[in-house]
Amino acid sequence: MSLPRASLGFFPTPVHPLARLERRLAAQGPRPSLFIKRDDQSGVAIGGNKVRKLEFLIGEALARGCDTVVTAGAQQSNHCRQTAAAAAMSGLECHLVLGGEKPSRVTGNLLLDQLFGAQIHWAGEHRKGEDLPRLVETLEEQGRTPCLVPYGGSSAVGASGFVAAMDELKAQIRAGEIPAPTHILVASSSGGTHAGMVVGAALNDLDTTIHGIAIDKEEHGGGTYADWLVGLTNETAALHDLRKHHARIDVSLDERFLGGGYGVVGDLEREAIALLARTEGILVDPVYTGRVFGALLAMIRAGEFSEDDRVLFWHTGGTPAVFAYAEELAMRPASDT
Ligand SMILES: *Cc1c(COP(=O)(O)O)cnc(C)c1O
C-alpha cells in the first residue's frame, strides 16, 4: 500500500535491553527479558508516537493541497504539540482546539504549541474535537484550505504510521538488534498506535501478543473504546489489504490499569516513573507511558510472564507533560527511600 508520506521524524528509533532494571527485578522473583523501543526519540519536538502518524496525515494534507491543519486534544496533548511542530516543518498553518479554559500558567506541551506558532482555541468540556467541524467551516469562509487531522491522529491513514513501525521493528529483529518479542506493551488511547501495530504485526508475520494498555475510561466515537478500537483496526487492515494475507487479527485491550481515569496520576504511575528514571535514566510521562510501564511492573509481579518471555515496552513519548505535572510528581528525594 503506497500512501503519500511526509518525512518528519528520525527513524528507525533505537531499541535496546533494560538490563539494569532486569537485574533489579530479578531480586524479587522470576522475570522476563525486557526491552524498550524508543519512540520518545522520534525526533520532532521532543519526540513521541504521533510523529509516525503525522508522516501520513501531513503527507495526505499536502497531497490534497491544504494550507492549514486543524486538530484537537487535551490541554497537555502530545498529539497537538507534535502536530504544531509538523505543521511548522511543512509550511502549514496550525489551529488547535484544546479542552478546558486558558490556564494561568503556560507550561509543558501548551508552551510548546505556542512556540511552534499554533493558534489555540479553548473548547471547555470538549477535549475530543467536538468543535472541529465548526472551526473548519470558519476557516473555509476566511478563504483557507483546512485539512482535519483527527483526534489523536487516529484514522486508518494515521494508523499506517504504526503499520510502518512494525516493518521497522521486523528489520531491527532481522538485524539482530533485539530478539523477537513474545509480548509488546503499548498505550492505547485514541487507538491509532495500537490498531496500526496489530495490522503491521500481522503483515510482518510477527508472532507476538500486543497488549494495549487502556488510558482513558470515557466513551469514544459514540460507543465504548473497545468497539472503536476494533473498528479502527478493521479499517486499517482494509486499507492495507490485509485480508489478502489471510492473517488473524487479535486486538488485546487491557483495561485494568485505568486508575482515576485520563490524566489522573496515582501511585502506579508515580512509582513507575521513579523506578525507570532511577534504574535506567529514562523518563516516562504521567499520562500514558508511566501508566503502561506501571502496568508492566504489576504484570511481572503477578507472574503473568515466564522467564522465557521477551517483553518489549514501546515508549510512545509524552516527555513535556512531566513539567506540567510537577506537583503530582514531586516525591521524596532518593536518599529518603
Ligand atoms: C497519544 C499518545 C499515546 C496513545 O496513542 P493512541 O494512538 O492515541 O492510542 C501514547 N503515548 C503518548 C505519549 C501519547 O501522546
Side-chain angles (χ1 to χ4, degrees):
M1 168 56 48
S2 165
L3 297 165
R5 182 172 184 174
S7 174
L8 300 172
F10 296 155
F11 299 115
T13 58
V15 280
H16 61 86
L18 293 170
R20 285 180 54 85
L21 179 72
E22 259 184 45
R23 280 200 297 277
R24 170 119 180 207
L25 296 176
Q28 301 169 12
R31 43 94 198 123
S33 312
L34 296 171
F35 302 88
I36 187 169
K37 175 79 167 153
R38 302 297 301 272
D39 276 8
D40 58 321
Q41 304 294 320
S42 62
V44 175
I46 320 190
N49 62 334
K50 302 308 184 304
V51 177
R52 293 191 185 273
K53 304 176 183 183
L54 285 162
E55 290 211 334
F56 290 91
L57 293 163
I58 297 280
E60 186 186 43
L62 293 172
R64 282 172 47 196
C66 292
D67 56 18
T68 304
V69 288
V70 299
T71 197
Q75 189 194 104
Q76 281 298 327
S77 166
N78 299 300
H79 164 66
C80 288
R81 177 246 314 166
Q82 289 165 92
T83 303
M89 291 170 78
S90 311
L92 300 168
E93 193 173 291
C94 179
H95 289 254
L96 302 176
V97 178
L98 301 184
E101 312 294 333
K102 189 176 193 281
S104 54
R105 189 165 145 271
V106 172
T107 181
N109 283 302
L110 179 58
L111 171 65
L112 301 185
D113 295 342
Q114 293 187 357
L115 291 178
F116 292 122
Q119 299 199 29
I120 293 168
H121 308 260
W122 292 101
E125 304 276 285
H126 295 169
R127 82 173 150 90
K128 292 198 173 181
E130 295 86 338
D131 299 346
L132 283 174
R134 203 167 25 147
L135 176 61
V136 167
E137 248 174 58
T138 309
L139 289 166
E140 279 168 352
E141 279 160 22
Q142 292 169 358
R144 317 274 327 167
T145 310
C147 262
L148 193 90
V149 172
Y151 176 75
S154 287
S155 57
V157 169
S160 300
F162 275 88
V163 177
M166 296 312 269
D167 299 343
E168 180 182 304
L169 178 66
K170 178 81 175 212
Q172 288 176 313
I173 294 166
R174 278 221 177 102
E177 291 183 43
I178 53 164
T182 53
H183 299 267
I184 298 175
L185 264 72
V186 69
S188 189
S189 180
S190 71
T193 302
H194 189 179
M197 283 174 63
V198 168
V199 172
L203 286 169
N204 281 289
D205 292 319
L206 279 171
D207 185 14
T208 183
T209 305
I210 297 167
H211 303 256
I213 306 298
I215 301 295
D216 192 344
K217 279 182 178 168
E218 286 174 34
E219 295 211 323
H220 198 102
T224 66
Y225 175 64
D227 287 344
W228 159 266
L229 178 64
V230 169
L232 179 60
T233 306
N234 287 332
E235 270 177 56
T236 307
L239 182 62
H240 291 268
D241 286 333
L242 185 58
R243 215 153 10 149
K244 245 182 15 203
H245 300 264
H246 304 288
R248 184 176 61 102
I249 304 185
D250 218 344
V251 181
S252 155
L253 181 68
D254 190 335
E255 300 189 290
R256 292 177 294 170
F257 302 98
L258 285 163
Y262 182 83
V264 179
V265 179
D267 289 343
L268 179 97
E269 292 82 17
R270 253 190 301 274
E271 282 165 18
I273 291 169
L275 180 60
L276 194 59
R278 291 168 191 194
T279 53
E280 296 279 356
I282 295 172
L283 290 172
V284 283
D285 82 282
V287 181
Y288 298 94
T289 50
R291 186 163 287 174
V292 175
F293 191 67
L296 171 58
L297 294 172
M299 290 163 78
I300 292 172
R301 287 175 185 142
E304 293 181 30
F305 302 110
S306 80
E307 276 181 287
D308 299 330
D309 276 324
R310 297 170 299 275
V311 179
L312 178 65
F313 167 59
W314 200 294
H315 193 329
T316 47
T319 312
V322 166
F323 302 102
Y325 282 80
E327 274 163 34
E328 289 94 323
L329 296 181
M331 50 185 87
R332 289 169 297 154
S335 56
D336 290 3
T337 58

